[in-house]
Amino acid sequence: MNRRRRVYEGKAKILYEGPEPGTLVQHFKDDATAYNNRKQDTIEGKGVLNNRISEYLFQRLGEIGVPNHFVKRLNMREQLIREVEIIPVEVVVRNVAAGSLTERLGLEEGTQLPRSIIEFNYKSDELDSPMVTEEHITAFGWANPQEIDEMMALALRINDFLTGIFLGIGIRLIDFRVEFGRLYENDMLRIVLADEISPDSCRLWDLETKDKLDKDRFRRDMGGLVEAYQEVARRLGILIDNRPVDRKGPVLVKSN
Ligand code: TMP
């Protein structure tokens, strides 16, 4: 069997060369990190759940015309994606105060924001992805003003759509982080949503109990991370039941 060429390995994912030029295989690991790798662990089953949840959300977003890199899911941990040139800027959308915003501005966690707020971080592990402004992004050539406008417009559409999807299943979308890439199609250059959208990259709270159903459970040593991600998947209708997922052996898949 040929070994696949590893194109990139990040904290929670590996990218392999895809079967055709212009494609990649995105592999979801069970590894979890926080605080710029100062906290690390392996949480069995996380990668499988993120693969499924991200597949579902990218497909739904594709259906409303949000261009994205997703092609198809290949197996429990992997999806086929289109290769894009990643813009080195993380786009964060916030609806409710939490995480670094509460620390920066001294806001109480859970405070509803007057409107959705977009922030940018420069994608750099060495620098702990510092927050930057549009001035930095254009001055250093990470993206041009048109691309920034496009990313902001897409981020707000994604926010509106995901807020609705999650509200429908009793979950409040507090904030999330997305990445975009450039996709060259013939002479056309398009900005497309890339990376993943999963409980690793969102804050999701149960609407009634305010229970955290996201990676903050890991960041704050609360435990129950896989159970929380399973609950999100179950409510989205993409888990048949609550059986543990991805035991290492073969799994019999029944078709009905
Ligand atoms: P923050 O409050 O820590 O700045 O995070 C904002 C959002 O971005 C939150 O939904 C979690 C997500 N996020 C990531 O996906 N990756 C990261 O490395 C960090 C720091 C945050």
Side-chain angles (χ1 to χ4, degrees):
M1 203 169 87
N2 283 337
R3 258 194 173 275
R4 289 183 296 184
R5 196 168 74 85
R6 192 178 295 216
V7 178
Y8 169 84
E9 177 151 8
K11 289 175 272 190
K13 293 190 294 294
I14 306 172
L15 294 179
Y16 294 102
E17 211 167 52
E20 285 160 32
T23 65
L24 295 172
V25 173
Q26 179 163 253
H27 176 107
F28 289 76
K29 299 193 281 184
D30 280 342
D31 297 349
T33 64
Y35 309 118
N36 199 26
N37 284 341
R38 288 188 293 279
K39 184 173 165 62
Q40 301 191 2
D41 204 351
T42 301
I43 299 167
E44 199 180 322
K46 179 175 83 75
V48 173
L49 286 156
N50 282 350
N51 187 25
R52 291 292 268 121
I53 294 170
S54 199
E55 170 199 17
Y56 178 83
L57 297 175
F58 272 61
Q59 279 181 332
R60 295 288 83 74
L61 285 163
E63 285 163 11
I64 62 150
V66 173
N68 67 67
H69 73 170
F70 181 82
V71 180
K72 65 174 179 181
R73 187 165 59 84
L74 297 171
N75 55 52
M76 297 276 271
R77 284 182 183 276
E78 294 178 332
Q79 45 185 246
L80 186 67
I81 58 169
R82 299 236 261 164
E83 185 171 20
V84 300
E85 180 186 292
I86 289 286
I87 295 172
V89 171
E90 302 174 349
V91 181
V92 173
V93 183
R94 301 181 183 274
N95 302 306
V96 175
S100 64
L101 183 70
T102 58
E103 290 159 30
R104 242 182 294 129
L105 300 187
L107 293 169
E108 194 182 335
E109 183 182 74
T111 310
Q112 177 72 47
L113 299 174
R115 61 173 173 80
S116 303
I117 293 174
I118 297 182
E119 292 172 356
F120 302 107
N121 299 329
Y122 174 52
K123 226 172 108 66
S124 162
D125 286 344
E126 298 81 62
L127 300 173
D128 209 356
S129 296
M131 197 168 129
V132 291
T133 69
E134 293 180 50
E135 280 286 283
H136 300 98
I137 297 171
T138 51
F140 293 112
W142 300 325
N144 65 37
Q146 224 182 325
E147 291 172 329
I148 296 175
D149 286 350
E150 182 75 19
M151 290 195 289
M152 290 177 76
L154 285 170
L156 290 177
R157 276 184 75 198
I158 294 166
N159 184 47
D160 285 347
F161 188 66
L162 293 186
T163 295
I165 285 193
F166 284 120
L167 261 186
I169 54 170
I171 292 174
R172 196 166 175 210
L173 178 62
I174 304 301
D175 57 31
F176 64 94
R177 182 225 49 183
V178 280
E179 291 180 19
F180 295 93
R182 300 183 183 95
L183 182 65
Y184 297 90
E185 280 176 326
N186 304 319
D187 282 347
M188 284 276 291
L189 167 64
R190 281 209 298 167
I191 300 296
V192 304
L193 174 66
D195 196 49
E196 71 178 297
I197 302 181
S198 72
D200 267 10
S201 60
C202 301
R203 285 199 175 88
L204 303 168
W205 295 358
D206 183 276
L207 205 54
E208 301 216 319
T209 64
K210 297 197 171 77
D211 260 4
K212 295 185 195 308
L213 302 172
D214 57 59
K215 201 172 143 189
D216 271 351
R217 300 200 75 87
F218 169 73
R219 295 186 188 98
R220 298 183 179 192
D221 290 320
M222 296 167 78
L225 181 127
V226 163
E227 292 75 11
Y229 285 28
Q230 269 177 348
E231 177 62 14
V232 173
R234 191 189 64 74
R235 291 196 203 178
L236 287 171
I238 55 181
L239 261 198
I240 289 107
D241 58 31
N242 270 334
R243 265 176 311 169
V245 284
D246 194 29
R247 298 298 135 212
K248 290 290 179 259
V251 175
L252 178 66
V253 179
K254 280 192 213 147
S255 61
N256 24 342

Short mmCIF file of all heavy atoms in Angstrom, two decimals, residues 5 16 49 65 72 87 112 116 141 147 175-176 183 193 241 246 252:
data_model
loop_
_atom_site.label_atom_id
_atom_site.label_comp_id
_atom_site.label_asym_id
_atom_site.label_seq_id
_atom_site.Cartn_x
_atom_site.Cartn_y
_atom_site.Cartn_z
N ARG A 5 1.02 11.18 1.04
CA ARG A 5 1.90 12.29 1.41
C ARG A 5 1.19 13.24 2.35
O ARG A 5 0.07 13.69 2.07
CB ARG A 5 2.37 13.05 0.15
CG ARG A 5 3.58 13.94 0.44
CD ARG A 5 4.18 14.44 -0.86
NE ARG A 5 3.35 15.47 -1.47
CZ ARG A 5 3.44 16.77 -1.14
NH1 ARG A 5 4.30 17.18 -0.22
NH2 ARG A 5 2.67 17.66 -1.74
N TYR A 16 -3.72 15.37 3.99
CA TYR A 16 -2.95 14.51 3.09
C TYR A 16 -3.24 14.93 1.66
O TYR A 16 -4.31 15.49 1.36
CB TYR A 16 -3.38 13.04 3.25
CG TYR A 16 -3.07 12.44 4.58
CD1 TYR A 16 -4.07 12.29 5.55
CD2 TYR A 16 -1.78 11.99 4.87
CE1 TYR A 16 -3.80 11.71 6.78
CE2 TYR A 16 -1.51 11.40 6.11
CZ TYR A 16 -2.52 11.27 7.05
OH TYR A 16 -2.25 10.70 8.26
N LEU A 49 -16.55 12.62 15.74
CA LEU A 49 -17.70 13.51 15.92
C LEU A 49 -17.50 14.83 15.16
O LEU A 49 -18.42 15.30 14.48
CB LEU A 49 -17.94 13.77 17.40
CG LEU A 49 -18.55 12.56 18.13
CD1 LEU A 49 -18.24 12.59 19.60
CD2 LEU A 49 -20.06 12.50 17.89
N GLY A 65 -25.72 28.44 -0.43
CA GLY A 65 -24.84 29.22 -1.30
C GLY A 65 -23.62 29.80 -0.63
O GLY A 65 -23.03 30.75 -1.15
N LYS A 72 -16.75 15.60 -0.01
CA LYS A 72 -17.55 14.50 0.55
C LYS A 72 -16.80 13.86 1.72
O LYS A 72 -15.57 13.96 1.81
CB LYS A 72 -17.86 13.45 -0.51
CG LYS A 72 -16.65 12.73 -1.05
CD LYS A 72 -17.08 11.60 -1.98
CE LYS A 72 -15.85 10.91 -2.52
NZ LYS A 72 -16.10 9.83 -3.44
N ILE A 87 -6.07 31.82 3.75
CA ILE A 87 -5.78 33.20 4.16
C ILE A 87 -5.40 33.15 5.64
O ILE A 87 -6.15 32.59 6.45
CB ILE A 87 -7.03 34.09 3.92
CG1 ILE A 87 -7.32 34.15 2.41
CG2 ILE A 87 -6.85 35.48 4.54
CD1 ILE A 87 -8.62 34.84 2.03
N GLN A 112 -25.26 39.35 26.59
CA GLN A 112 -25.66 39.48 25.17
C GLN A 112 -24.98 40.71 24.59
O GLN A 112 -25.04 41.80 25.19
CB GLN A 112 -27.19 39.61 25.09
CG GLN A 112 -27.74 39.81 23.70
CD GLN A 112 -27.66 38.53 22.86
OE1 GLN A 112 -28.04 37.46 23.32
NE2 GLN A 112 -27.17 38.66 21.63
N SER A 116 -23.80 41.44 16.62
CA SER A 116 -22.72 40.48 16.38
C SER A 116 -21.43 41.24 16.08
O SER A 116 -21.45 42.23 15.34
CB SER A 116 -23.07 39.58 15.20
OG SER A 116 -24.29 38.92 15.45
N GLY A 141 -0.39 42.47 3.76
CA GLY A 141 -0.74 41.74 2.53
C GLY A 141 -1.35 40.38 2.76
O GLY A 141 -1.31 39.52 1.87
N GLU A 147 -11.24 41.27 -0.21
CA GLU A 147 -11.29 39.94 0.40
C GLU A 147 -11.78 40.03 1.86
O GLU A 147 -12.52 39.16 2.33
CB GLU A 147 -9.91 39.27 0.34
CG GLU A 147 -9.51 38.88 -1.08
CD GLU A 147 -8.07 38.38 -1.19
OE1 GLU A 147 -7.20 38.84 -0.40
OE2 GLU A 147 -7.81 37.54 -2.07
N ASP A 175 -20.32 32.00 20.08
CA ASP A 175 -19.31 32.55 19.17
C ASP A 175 -18.72 31.40 18.36
O ASP A 175 -18.98 30.23 18.64
CB ASP A 175 -18.21 33.34 19.91
CG ASP A 175 -17.50 32.52 20.98
OD1 ASP A 175 -17.38 31.29 20.81
OD2 ASP A 175 -17.06 33.11 21.99
N PHE A 176 -17.96 31.73 17.35
CA PHE A 176 -17.25 30.70 16.58
C PHE A 176 -16.10 31.33 15.81
O PHE A 176 -16.02 32.56 15.68
CB PHE A 176 -18.20 29.96 15.60
CG PHE A 176 -18.78 30.84 14.53
CD1 PHE A 176 -18.18 30.94 13.28
CD2 PHE A 176 -19.94 31.57 14.76
CE1 PHE A 176 -18.72 31.74 12.28
CE2 PHE A 176 -20.48 32.38 13.76
CZ PHE A 176 -19.87 32.46 12.53
N LEU A 183 -9.76 30.08 -3.81
CA LEU A 183 -9.91 28.95 -4.73
C LEU A 183 -9.84 29.51 -6.14
O LEU A 183 -10.62 30.39 -6.50
CB LEU A 183 -11.25 28.25 -4.48
CG LEU A 183 -11.54 27.02 -5.32
CD1 LEU A 183 -10.56 25.90 -5.01
CD2 LEU A 183 -12.96 26.53 -5.05
N LEU A 193 -15.17 29.21 2.31
CA LEU A 193 -15.04 28.76 3.69
C LEU A 193 -14.19 27.48 3.70
O LEU A 193 -14.40 26.60 2.87
CB LEU A 193 -16.45 28.48 4.24
CG LEU A 193 -16.54 27.86 5.62
CD1 LEU A 193 -16.04 28.83 6.69
CD2 LEU A 193 -18.00 27.47 5.91
N ASP A 241 -27.79 6.85 17.59
CA ASP A 241 -28.06 6.71 19.02
C ASP A 241 -26.81 7.14 19.77
O ASP A 241 -25.91 7.74 19.21
CB ASP A 241 -28.47 5.27 19.37
CG ASP A 241 -27.40 4.28 18.95
OD1 ASP A 241 -26.22 4.66 18.96
OD2 ASP A 241 -27.75 3.14 18.61
N ASP A 246 -16.47 4.91 16.85
CA ASP A 246 -15.12 4.62 16.40
C ASP A 246 -14.31 3.76 17.36
O ASP A 246 -13.20 4.10 17.71
CB ASP A 246 -14.33 5.91 16.14
CG ASP A 246 -13.05 5.62 15.35
OD1 ASP A 246 -13.05 4.65 14.58
OD2 ASP A 246 -12.06 6.36 15.53
N LEU A 252 -19.90 -2.90 11.76
CA LEU A 252 -20.89 -3.36 10.81
C LEU A 252 -21.89 -2.23 10.56
O LEU A 252 -22.52 -1.74 11.49
CB LEU A 252 -21.62 -4.59 11.37
CG LEU A 252 -22.73 -5.15 10.48
CD1 LEU A 252 -22.15 -5.72 9.19
CD2 LEU A 252 -23.51 -6.22 11.23
#
